[in-house]
């Protein structure tokens, strides 16, 4: 859950809380991606297929946050 993220990465937890509480999330210019360091290089990771082309809106922000939690807690640590 999002609350679990607080123990893994407090800064990301705060950002997720800000996204959830933002009146109009479209002003944040987010899409369904996240950045990850891989072998010292920053890479863009799609949280779902075509994520670079999907803007986060007030209507889909909960889905975005759910996918971000899934990535942080499960996908980024898988081999």
């Amino acid at each position: 859950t999002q609350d679990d993220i607080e123990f893994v990465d407090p800064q990301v937890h705060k950002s997720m809380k800000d996204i959830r509480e933002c009146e109009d999330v479209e002003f944040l210019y987010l899409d369904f991606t996240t950045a990850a360091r891989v072998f010292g290089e920053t890479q863009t990771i799609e949280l779902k297929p075509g994520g670079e082309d999907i803007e986060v809106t007030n209507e889909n922000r909960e889905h975005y946050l759910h996918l971000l939690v899934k990535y942080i807690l499960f996908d980024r640590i898988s081999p």
Side-chain angles (χ1 to χ4, degrees):
T1 67
Q2 184 176 336
D3 291 336
D4 296 325
I5 297 298
E6 184 174 13
F7 300 104
V8 176
D9 191 328
Q11 184 175 358
V12 170
H13 178 263
K14 183 186 179 322
S15 294
M16 292 176 74
K17 183 178 177 191
D18 292 344
I19 291 168
R20 180 169 274 125
E21 295 173 355
C22 183
E23 187 172 320
D24 190 355
V25 74
E26 292 180 44
F27 286 118
L28 301 177
Y29 300 101
L30 299 170
D31 56 27
F32 276 72
T33 65
T34 190
R37 302 270 305 159
V38 179
F39 300 113
E41 184 178 313
T42 302
Q43 295 185 356
T44 299
I45 308 296
E46 290 188 331
L47 299 173
K48 64 187 283 180
E52 283 187 310
D53 299 320
I54 303 169
E55 293 182 15
V56 177
T57 64
N58 289 346
E59 290 76 30
N60 68 16
R61 83 170 115 200
E62 289 301 322
H63 183 58
Y64 167 79
L65 292 170
H66 171 79
L67 292 175
L68 187 57
V69 167
K70 178 183 173 290
Y71 172 77
I72 292 170
L73 293 180
F74 301 108
D75 297 339
R76 82 173 174 185
I77 61 170
S78 51

